[in-house]
Amino acid sequence: MNRTAAALAALLATTCLSSVAMAQTSSPASSAAPAGGFASSEATDPYIWLEDIEGERAMAWVEAHNERSLGVLRGDPRFDTLHRQALEIVESRDRIPSPGFNRDGTIDNFWQDAEHVRGVWRTTTLDSYRSAEPEWETILDFDALAAAEGKNWVYKGATCLPPEETRCLVSLSDGGKDAVTIREFDRTTKTFVDGGFVLPESKGGASWVDADTLLVSRDFGPGSMTTSGYPMIVKVLRRGQTLDQAQTVFTGQPTDVSVSGYALRDADGNIRATLINRGVNFYEGETHRLNADGTTTKLELPAKSSINALVQGQLVVTTDQDWTAPSGQEFRTGDVIAWDLDRWLADPATPAQLVIRPTEREAIQGISNTRNKLVVAMTENVRGAVYVYEPDLAGEWSRTRLALPENVTVGVGSTSERDDRVFVSVAGYLNPSSLYLADAAAGSADIVKELPAKFDATGMTVEQFEARSADGTMIPYFVVHKAEMPLDGSNPTLLYGYGGYQVSLLPGYSPTVGKLWLERGGVYVVANTRGGGEFGPRWHQAALQQNRQRAHEDFQAVAEDLIARGVTSQPHLGIMGGSQGGLFMGAMLTQRPDLINAAVIQVPLFDMLRFHRLLAGASWIAEYGDPDIPEQRAWIEQYSPYQRLAAGQPYPEVFIHTSTKDDRVHPGHARKAAARLEELGYPVLFYENTDGGHAAGANLRETARRLALEYTYLTRRLMDQPAAEQAE
């Protein structure tokens, strides 16, 4: 995955193994493609008007549906308790403050709680951070800023100029959108710089070159954005210049996803190369070096690759395709390789060193570097470990394993560039999150923070099973449940899936799932389907484009396996997923409604014949295919949920929610799905948050309300005794 894809995907949130044959329940719904019928074009889509995001008619529809759905769900006697519990969890101060190393050794953190709903950017010393009660110094209070400026600011991050890191570029979103305003901030005075850099709202970014120079990729006016809605042009902006006066140094193509620029720096903050990334599509790109004279030189890298780190002068790159290097060396998909940067820039035929070649059941989940070491988070059969790699004088790489707990998920957090310390998070479905401070040079790790349990996991266990998909591939999945669970099909079960963009669903501790579902007798299941990254790039690529249906069949196979094992049954099985996972839910609803009795469909993709024409949708063509190309449209039509919704199907009442402010996945997908279901006579609950962005939660209170709505709905559908059972 190229650097652009990794950034966009980031914007796009344990015991035994066994296998059984797919359960033979009832037959799936017909898989015949729609024959030029409903919503095959704008002219045949009666709900195209719902794509007018803030249009008067569309918003009146939203308000009416919000009123009805909130009335139903908030009127349920269990809503208030679930809402109170969710609010206590999301606003709790009893959380691990996520630490970020500064180059001077201090620690930064972004924090939200009941008093800081929008959040506060704060700092402390490492010694203070390690104490039970750190003494925090506020850098910027976003609640106070929003109140002072009368804005609905949502913090989207800051980047500070090394090595001093006193001048920062702060990104602020209006209501949670991906588009941000960027403003220069002085950490020393804790104020925005008078007359400093200010970039108006746009998708894109900016990075420091030096104190008076930025690399900027923004909306520069007509013709400057790609068809995906991201920047196509990179400019060098000098202090005192307007955006119109900035020097253009790179222009991509309208069909690209986006372009961006950044400075590749060593551990001391010195620029070793200034690079431009051209995202040709979501997974393929080019990296160009910006030369001193303003020209650019394309670097010899695989189209599907990522620059991961620069450590001890070695440029570390992951390739997501089989590749023959200019040196003649052959590398495989998933390999991690490295070059001496200066030698390679001077001669692209310089041989590379193989750093890592994962096995079939291994996957690299993250790569970072300290001052002298490469730190890699890996999974083997979806269980995590962290390894430390270091080159010798000959460029050969050796590795050691950090001393961390096993059979859990581990994640590499912030790393220090003044020494070899690194924060590592450790969690499991039933293991509260803990934070270790590791010394990558010594291979040791000490626990720094550990959360108390947020729900009662007494008597609960985690199991890992496999289901056989339609083509025979074994699909692993985790089941979290009470150990004494009866295998009689009576257990209310929530099946979660995502299945795209090489995103791995790894075991993690969720207080809200635990408190609002598991503790109340629910079973929680996570499916590691193809399309994800649990087993590396090949696992993802197996469900791309014309093979997307494989991922849907994987998810369906897990549902069937749960029923075959007696874990649950159709009246007690519900599904949940968001964004690409919302498409997953739509595919299950339209292909195998006989398996489920509930579906929480979060900020979904649903109209796959128009996804590429809505907001950032064109950037996802590499994942799904292009509906404007007949051959590719044919395979998309086979599963596009909006067009496949039909009368006379056993659809359960579904809960669909989205956000007006989502400028990534268009809220029209969710709106049109609800409208079509209602037209066909099915009950549907629909809720649209008028803020929130793609995460559908601009602040903690809205997040708590969304969670309470979801689990109230699931309680009604899966825990209440079905009418058929009452009749018996």
Side-chain angles (χ1 to χ4, degrees), residues 330-400:
E330 301 283 345
F331 294 105
R332 301 177 190 171
T333 299
D335 282 353
V336 179
I337 56 181
W339 291 274
D340 179 279
L341 176 63
D342 291 337
R343 291 179 57 204
W344 179 69
L345 289 176
D347 179 7
T350 298
Q353 289 288 340
L354 179 66
V355 182
I356 309 171
R357 175 163 287 167
T359 65
E360 184 177 334
R361 299 300 268 187
E362 288 182 332
I364 295 167
Q365 302 296 342
I367 298 178
S368 190
N369 65 279
T370 61
R371 185 174 186 84
N372 303 298
K373 312 287 185 180
L374 190 70
V375 184
V376 181
M378 296 185 68
T379 54
E380 182 175 359
N381 210 32
V382 206
R383 299 182 181 117
V386 175
Y387 292 94
V388 176
Y389 292 80
E390 183 178 21
D392 59 21
L393 293 178
E396 298 285 344
W397 292 75
S398 60
R399 84 170 189 178
T400 57

Side-chain angles (χ1 to χ4, degrees), residues 137-139 166-167 184-194:
E137 177 186 351
T138 297
I139 300 172
T166 57
R167 289 295 180 97
E184 185 178 5
F185 184 82
D186 189 329
R187 283 184 58 133
T188 304
T189 62
K190 300 184 179 64
T191 59
F192 288 101
V193 176
D194 187 21

Side-chain angles (χ1 to χ4, degrees), residues 24-29 560 563 569-571 573 588-597 649-652:
Q24 297 300 315
T25 57
S26 49
S27 300
E560 290 186 302
I563 293 171
S569 58
Q570 180 274 333
L573 178 58
M588 176 72 91
L589 179 68
T590 54
Q591 295 179 29
R592 295 304 308 270
D594 56 291
L595 295 176
I596 60 172
N597 196 34
Q649 299 299 314
Y651 300 156

